């Protein structure tokens, strides 16, 4: 089992999970940053975009790096946190909220990629994933794992979207924010949709 090789990473997740905060107070959200990563061969291509609430593009950065870890279910943060943190270090504009393509606390150890990165950058962070890693979906679309409500499922046509707390935000607020950022019949919140498109256009990377 690969996780046994990375037992140190499992322990790191457990430690950070105890430090994640759930803020249910209104927060200023004027600038939203979203990051996404795509891959080609052994290179990770990460794009970070910052938009305002009107979806005007404020800033963007494209950062590529060599992949250091394989994909391991439950340890996705090992593979993607490096490229994401590298992009965030290089973007010039500040932002109020971070959206990451990955799980937050809706994770077997309650610390997915969004929680790991959110904790390190110390920003309100939301995890938005395209598949469910754990838990049971209730009729009201909230997801329960380990006897706790940890996520929410948006049904978008044939596709589902799974929202969870990354850091410094409540699930209620996270769901409200994501709902406001989805345009029409699009599957992803707009900043993340644009980051996804940019990361897949490798011609933008020097």
């Amino acid at each position: 089992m690969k996780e046994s090789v990375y037992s140190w990473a499992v322990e790191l997740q457990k430690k950070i999970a105890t430090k994640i905060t759930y803020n249910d107070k209104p927060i200023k959200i004027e600038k939203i940053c979203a990051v996404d990563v795509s891959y080609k061969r052994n290179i990770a291509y990460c794009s970070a975009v910052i938009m305002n609430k009107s979806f005007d593009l404020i800033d963007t950065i494209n950062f590529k790096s060599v992949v250091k870890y394989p994909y391991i279910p439950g340890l996705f943060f090992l593979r993607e946190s490096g490229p994401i943190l590298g992009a965030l270090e290089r973007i010039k504009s500040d932002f109020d909220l971070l959206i990451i393509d990955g799980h937050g606390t809706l994770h077997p150890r309650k610390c997915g990629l969004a929680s790991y990165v959110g904790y390190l950058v110390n920003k309100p962070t939301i995890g938005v994933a395209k598949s469910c890693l754990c838990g049971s979906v209730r009729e009201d679309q909230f997801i329960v794992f380990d006897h706790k409500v940890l996520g929410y499922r948006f049904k978008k046509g044939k596709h589902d979207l799974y929202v969870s707390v990354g850091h410094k935000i409540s699930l209620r607020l996270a769901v409200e924010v994501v709902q406001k950022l989805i345009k029409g019949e699009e599957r992803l919140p707009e900043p993340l949709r644009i980051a996804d498109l940019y990361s897949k256009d490798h011609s933008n990377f020097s």
Side-chain angles (χ1 to χ4, degrees):
M1 182 178 177
K2 288 186 176 181
E3 281 193 7
S4 63
V5 178
Y6 297 104
S7 58
W8 59 270
V10 171
E11 293 306 313
L12 180 59
Q13 285 178 308
K14 292 178 180 177
K15 181 178 180 180
I16 290 179
T18 67
K19 301 178 184 295
I20 299 304
T21 59
Y22 302 81
N23 179 24
D24 199 37
K25 298 178 181 178
I27 57 176
K28 181 189 78 169
I29 302 177
E30 298 295 333
K31 297 179 181 179
I32 303 110
C33 179
V35 287
D36 202 0
V37 184
S38 72
Y39 297 91
K40 186 175 182 180
R41 299 185 180 91
N42 199 41
I43 302 297
Y45 297 84
C46 181
S47 293
V49 303
I50 296 179
M51 289 182 161
N52 61 22
K53 292 186 293 185
S54 299
F55 304 129
D56 299 316
L57 188 62
I58 297 171
D59 202 356
T60 182
I61 190 76
N62 297 307
F63 173 70
K64 67 178 182 179
S65 57
V66 175
V67 176
K68 294 183 178 180
Y69 294 96
Y71 169 71
I72 307 170
L75 293 174
F76 193 45
F77 84 97
L78 287 178
R79 185 173 175 87
E80 293 223 337
S81 61
I84 289 174
L85 292 169
L88 293 177
E89 287 173 0
R90 289 163 173 79
I91 203 158
K92 296 179 180 179
S93 300
D94 195 15
F95 54 89
D96 306 306
L97 176 76
L98 178 62
I99 301 178
I100 290 179
D101 182 3
H103 289 289
T105 58
L106 185 58
H107 183 278
R109 289 177 288 277
K110 301 180 179 63
C111 180
L113 174 66
S115 290
Y116 179 79
V117 173
Y119 174 73
L120 290 184
V121 301
N122 196 32
K123 291 279 191 179
T125 305
I126 300 173
V128 176
K130 301 181 186 75
S131 60
C132 194
L133 192 59
C134 61
S136 301
V137 183
R138 302 190 317 203
E139 289 187 4
D140 62 2
Q141 303 306 311
F142 282 96
I143 303 169
V144 177
F145 178 71
D146 195 21
H147 308 292
K148 296 179 181 178
V149 176
L150 295 179
Y152 183 85
R153 179 177 68 177
F154 279 99
K155 295 191 71 66
K156 301 295 294 182
K158 297 180 180 179
H159 303 288
D160 293 338
L161 201 62
Y162 300 89
V163 175
S164 59
V165 170
H167 186 45
K168 299 183 77 171
I169 193 169
S170 69
L171 180 59
R172 180 186 66 83
L173 284 175
V175 171
E176 287 181 6
V177 168
V178 170
Q179 194 164 29
K180 290 177 181 177
L181 293 177
I182 294 176
K183 293 176 66 176
E185 297 303 312
E186 295 290 349
R187 182 185 185 187
L188 297 173
E190 188 65 7
L192 190 58
R193 188 182 74 84
I194 298 301
D196 174 70
L197 290 174
Y198 282 15
S199 73
K200 291 174 180 173
D201 184 359
H202 298 164
S203 64
N204 291 325
F205 293 78
S206 57

